């Protein structure tokens, strides 16, 4: 009789243990289902780097991404004009110095925007955006040709191509003014338009246009 009671108690304990392990397994399963995947965690971390209510839009980003290389080419053109071997005239050298002085800080400013906005420095070219097709950009052949000229011939080509380059920058800035959301970016676009229109007028006067 005692043996039978002991056996029944052991069976009862075994049933309790089995039920307990099933409960633990179920809890474990629930915990696993509630644990975010590494991809979800990474996405959450990425989202946390973008400020809530960021005051910029796609037009602002594309303005900065496009204007940085546009300015970089203008500075490269200015450096060519400042190379003594091309024998540029004093008025062209003065313009080149002025362009570098204005556009270097703007490149730094726009680079800072893209960094703060968590955006890439280069425009996505998968949708047909190419740096070489931006308004006013010179081709590699034109840049090479510019470097082979001297004196008055150089001055003429430099001012003609820089005028075209400035007109392209003004068109890009007008787009930013029309579509941009960031007040600082829109203000810089306004500044670019005013400065480059004045430089175009000066170059046209020198060219006798």
């Amino acid at each position: 009789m005692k043996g039978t009671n002991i056996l029944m108690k052991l069976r009862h304990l075994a049933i309790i243990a089995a039920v307990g392990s099933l409960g633990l397994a179920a809890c474990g399963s629930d915990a696993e289902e509630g644990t975010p995947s590494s991809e979800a965690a990474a996405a959450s971390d990425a989202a946390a780097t973008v400020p809530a209510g960021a005051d910029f839009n796609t037009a602002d980003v594309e303005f900065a991404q496009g204007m940085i290389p546009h300015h970089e080419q203008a500075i490269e053109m200015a450096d060519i004009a400042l190379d003594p071997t091309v024998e540029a005239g004093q008025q062209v050298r003065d313009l080149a110095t002025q362009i570098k002085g204005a556009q270097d800080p703007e490149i730094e400013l726009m680079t800072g925007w893209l960094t703060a906005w968590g955006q890439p420095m280069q425009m996505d070219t998968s949708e047909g955006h190419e740096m070489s097709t931006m308004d006013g950009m010179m081709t590699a052949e034109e840049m090479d040709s510019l470097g082979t000229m001297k004196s008055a011939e150089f001055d003429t080509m430099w001012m003609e191509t820089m005028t075209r380059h400035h007109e392209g920058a003004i068109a890009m800035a007008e787009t930013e003014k029309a579509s941009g959301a960031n007040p600082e970016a829109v203000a810089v676009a306004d500044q670019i338009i005013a400065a480059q229109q004045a430089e175009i007028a000066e170059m046209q006067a020198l060219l006798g246009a």
Side-chain angles (χ1 to χ4, degrees):
M1 198 66 179
K2 283 184 182 179
T4 301
N5 289 337
I6 291 170
L7 185 57
M8 289 178 67
K9 285 180 181 180
L10 287 174
R11 284 178 179 171
H12 184 63
L13 289 170
I15 290 167
I16 291 171
V19 171
S21 19
L22 284 172
L24 287 171
C27 290
S29 176
D30 289 344
E32 285 173 10
E33 288 175 7
T35 302
S37 68
S38 58
E39 288 182 6
S44 177
D45 290 343
T49 64
V50 179
D55 192 14
F56 66 91
N57 63 10
T58 301
D60 298 318
V61 173
E62 290 183 352
F63 171 64
Q65 289 173 333
M67 196 60 80
I68 289 170
H70 205 275
H71 274 13
E72 286 172 344
Q73 188 178 71
I75 289 170
E76 187 180 352
M77 293 168 69
D79 285 336
I80 294 171
L82 294 171
D83 182 343
T85 63
V86 302
E87 301 173 1
Q90 185 60 52
Q91 290 167 313
V92 166
R93 292 198 303 271
D94 289 346
L95 273 166
T97 301
Q98 180 176 308
I99 288 166
K100 282 193 69 171
Q103 298 194 20
D104 258 334
E106 287 173 353
I107 288 172
E108 186 175 347
L109 180 63
M110 290 184 280
T111 300
W113 293 344
L114 292 172
T115 300
W117 297 340
Q119 299 297 314
M121 290 295 143
Q122 293 185 339
M123 194 178 291
D124 180 7
T125 58
S126 64
E127 297 182 4
H129 297 297
E130 292 289 344
M131 296 301 107
S132 61
T133 61
M134 283 194 300
D135 286 346
M137 288 288 278
M138 291 179 67
T139 65
E141 292 76 15
E142 286 175 321
M143 292 293 285
D144 289 342
S145 178
L146 184 63
T148 65
M149 296 182 179
K150 291 181 182 295
S151 303
E153 186 184 31
F154 173 84
D155 290 351
T156 298
M157 182 176 179
W158 188 88
M159 287 189 287
E160 287 175 347
T161 52
M162 187 62 84
T163 295
R164 190 182 82 209
H165 202 274
H166 275 17
E167 287 169 345
I170 289 168
M172 293 164 66
E174 292 283 10
T175 299
E176 168 60 15
K177 282 187 66 178
S179 306
N182 183 270
E184 187 178 10
V186 172
V188 168
D190 223 357
Q191 175 182 307
I192 287 169
I193 292 167
Q196 298 202 14
Q197 281 178 339
E199 288 166 352
I200 286 172
E202 184 176 352
M203 288 186 286
Q204 286 177 337
L206 291 170
L207 288 166

